[in-house]
Amino acid sequence: MKFGGTSVGSAERIRALAEIVRARQSRKPVVVVSALSGVTDLLIKGARLALARSAESEAVIQQLTTRHREVIEALFPAGATRDRLMAYVEDILRDLKSFHTGIHHLEELTARTMDAVSGMGERLSYEIVAAHLDAVGLPTKAIDARSVFLTDDTFGRAMPLMDETGARVHEHILPAVQKGLVPVLGGFIGSTRQGVSTTLGRGGTDWSAAIVGALLPAEEIQIWTDVDGIMTVDPRLVPGAKILPEVTFEEAAELAYFGAKVLHPATIKPAVERGIPVLVLNSMNPTAPGTRIASRKSDDEIGEPRALAFKKGITVILVSQPRMLMAHGFTAKVFEVFARHKTSVDLIATSEVSISLTIDNNDTLAAVRGDLAELGEVRVFQNMAMVSVVGRGFNRQAGLAGRIFQATHEVNITMISFGASDVNVSFVVDQNDAERTVKSLHREFFEAR
Ligand code: ADP
Ligand code: ASP
Ligand code: MG
């Protein structure tokens, strides 16, 4: 059972979490929690302020202390547990203060330091949640996830080492379950073989939960969040979004990958590989059936759009080389540059003399751009958005492209990717056009006309 930031965001939410766990106690749950909502953002902001040598970084530590103290005081009466938790919080935040001092003096904020800082939220939340479960009669084993999740050292988006992590899941988590305890651990964090703290990337708690679920293995992975399930589009953008009672692994993976924030893109993989169903459920409305993510039943559904996703902050890179006209090996050279800089490419479109591609992370942009310049003329367009229509059997449905582009005829489309899979059509528009594009597609496909 994974509980996201809003599901552990206040004393009231943590109490509700305990009742959700209690109602499922006979199924022997393992609980994986995110940081309290907003805490990871604050930690990252604080580190950046320290780098900018701003005195405001101190205020961020104050905010973090107050936030956790309020939750602890609301959950636990004055006494030993409250004191222990407050001392624990203060300890971690004292470390945070030293990190800020270091960042400030060295004027350097490496990915490694950022991981040590941004993972503190999960180190705080799991102890609080575990103590509350204990207090309400659900005995737990609180586990520091860094002792379970062994990862490589790609700071900021570390890859779990599955064999070693599996061994530790069996050593630390399974025996506790067998003893009737509820293991509680923070998501998102891990450590290298040398014991250096890492994180799995933003939103990574979903992935942590799916990995634990896959390695145990669990009979089911439950993602408890703040909406009734996976919907036709982000309900924050389109209030008329409709719930999808069931989606296939492929659809969920495409939606997640193309920006539906409801699930971390990698979540699905460990579960699919082992055929474990994933449920997306609402901790604010626990009796709602949610969305079940399960294997594809048949291959012969007719084409049907099922949901929309969008991702802002996309960068389009266009490389052209007229001399490469009909030459072989040009594409390989271009991709080699992205591989060298460990930068993943989302969409691709090619013509005879040029390649357009999109990336969603500008950390390596300058380096990539420099290397690409040796291959041809490079143009970069930032602040773009990728809009995706996800569904089934798209390569068998006449008229689908017509409907998509009719619905978006007022916006300028920079790039299109259609046909890479039969479950997705994606295109790129200016970021400022993203919302109206998504709204009009939603009207076209999901709202009665
Ligand atoms: P958590 O903190 O539980 O991990 P997230 O904020 O990461 O929660 O994900 C839940 C949010 O995802 C919802 O509040 C919703 O705004 C957003 N979202 C984006 N796309 C979708 C979608 N297609 N269906 C449901 N929710 C979506
Ligand atoms: N707390 C982390 C984040 O905000 C991980 C997560 O919530 O999944 O990205
Ligand atoms: Mg999330």
Side-chain angles (χ1 to χ4, degrees):
M1 303 177 76
K2 175 263 177 170
F3 292 88
T6 41
S7 305
V8 294
S10 65
E12 187 201 345
R13 302 304 315 140
I14 294 174
R15 285 197 190 98
L17 174 159
E19 292 321 306
I20 291 170
V21 173
R22 192 197 301 283
R24 290 153 188 83
Q25 199 182 4
S26 64
R27 293 183 73 187
K28 304 193 172 158
V30 174
V31 171
V32 181
V33 294
S34 288
L36 275 53
S37 51
V39 164
T40 312
D41 286 338
L42 264 180
L43 287 163
I44 293 171
K45 180 177 154 197
R48 294 199 175 127
L49 286 168
L51 180 65
R53 302 178 148 236
S54 159
E56 274 176 60
S57 67
E58 181 62 34
V60 167
I61 297 181
Q62 273 315 317
Q63 262 174 284
L64 289 164
T65 313
T66 312
R67 179 79 192 281
H68 290 89
R69 178 190 297 121
E70 280 171 2
V71 169
I72 290 169
E73 287 179 353
L75 286 175
F76 306 94
T81 306
R82 186 196 273 189
D83 293 346
R84 173 178 70 80
L85 288 172
M86 269 323 293
Y88 177 77
V89 169
E90 276 156 16
D91 246 22
I92 291 183
L93 294 178
R94 200 171 303 119
D95 283 351
L96 177 61
K97 174 102 181 90
S98 324
F99 279 119
H100 280 189
T101 310
I103 295 166
H104 175 106
H105 286 302
L106 296 169
E107 292 183 71
E108 182 181 70
L109 176 54
T110 60
R112 174 174 162 150
T113 303
M114 187 55 112
D115 270 6
V117 168
S118 65
M120 285 178 168
E122 274 71 9
R123 288 170 57 202
L124 295 168
S125 64
Y126 85 97
E127 283 283 1
I128 298 173
V129 170
H132 176 66
L133 291 177
D134 279 324
V136 299
L138 291 160
T140 61
K141 179 179 178 193
I143 300 172
D144 185 337
R146 295 172 304 167
S147 65
V148 174
F149 280 83
L150 264 234
T151 71
D152 70 6
D153 63 358
T154 318
F155 296 104
R157 47 186 167 144
M159 279 295 289
L161 307 172
M162 290 302 242
D163 289 347
E164 274 126 307
T165 302
R168 285 154 185 248
V169 164
H170 285 250
E171 185 186 333
H172 298 292
I173 300 181
L174 201 52
V177 178
Q178 284 157 348
K179 271 189 237 154
L181 301 174
V182 180
V184 180
L185 51 156
F188 181 53
I189 52 178
S191 73
T192 65
R193 285 201 184 97
Q194 288 72 36
V196 181
S197 298
T198 55
T199 68
L200 308 186
R202 294 306 306 271
T205 302
D206 295 331
W207 196 15
S208 306
I211 290 171
V212 171
L215 292 174
L216 278 166
E219 64 184 39
E220 187 173 283
I221 295 163
Q222 301 182 345
I223 307 290
W224 290 87
T225 182
D226 60 357
V227 285
D228 275 343
I230 300 185
M231 312 190 109
T232 47
V233 67
D234 187 343
R236 265 184 252 188
L237 178 67
V238 184
K242 296 181 175 62
I243 170 107
L244 298 165
E246 187 164 312
V247 304
T248 64
F249 279 118
E250 291 79 6
E251 288 166 340
E254 296 274 316
L255 273 174
Y257 181 73
F258 289 104
K261 197 186 147 225
V262 66
L263 274 189
H264 183 287
T267 306
I268 311 298
K269 203 170 156 242
V272 184
E273 284 167 358
R274 290 162 179 85
I276 302 173
V278 178
L279 274 149
V280 179
L281 296 158
N282 190 351
S283 71
M284 319 256 184
N285 183 17
T287 53
T291 297
R292 173 172 292 273
I293 305 172
S295 340
R296 196 165 182 162
K297 286 202 198 75
S298 80
D299 249 0
D300 50 29
E301 298 107 339
I302 40 142
E304 181 194 357
R306 298 260 295 154
L308 306 173
F310 63 100
K311 201 150 64 163
K312 292 187 178 177
I314 295 292
T315 296
V316 176
I317 303 177
L318 194 139
V319 192
S320 44
Q321 175 50 284
R323 279 184 292 113
M324 279 300 149
L325 193 68
M326 312 201 83
H328 49 78
F330 178 58
T331 322
K333 285 192 191 120
V334 168
F335 281 101
E336 207 274 313
V337 170
F338 288 88
R340 197 179 323 133
H341 295 286
K342 292 191 179 174
T343 303
S344 65
V345 169
D346 288 334
L347 299 188
I348 304 157
T350 61
S351 80
E352 204 162 9
V353 294
S354 59
I355 303 181
S356 290
L357 358 90
T358 68
I359 56 172
D360 67 357
N361 177 331
N362 288 340
D363 292 351
T364 57
L365 179 61
V368 165
R369 187 180 192 155
D371 286 3
L372 289 175
E374 290 172 17
L375 301 176
E377 190 203 334
V378 182
R379 281 190 291 157
V380 172
F381 306 91
Q382 284 176 274
N383 303 319
M384 307 300 284
M386 175 166 72
V387 177
S388 304
V389 181
V390 172
R392 301 168 172 171
F394 282 0
N395 55 9
R396 285 187 293 274
Q397 197 197 26
L400 180 67
R403 281 178 74 191
I404 292 175
F405 296 114
Q406 180 56 34
T408 56
H409 72 276
E410 283 172 8
V411 292
N412 180 36
I413 294 179
T414 310
M415 191 175 152
I416 301 172
S417 165
F418 193 161
S421 78
D422 70 340
V423 297
N424 167 294
V425 179
S426 292
F427 52 92
V428 177
V429 300
D430 191 282
Q431 192 164 283
N432 297 323
D433 290 329
E435 267 142 40
R436 67 181 173 124
T437 306
V438 171
K439 283 183 176 155
S440 76
L441 283 170
H442 198 266
R443 270 196 301 279
E444 169 67 24
F445 289 113
F446 305 107
E447 292 167 42
R449 277 170 300 152

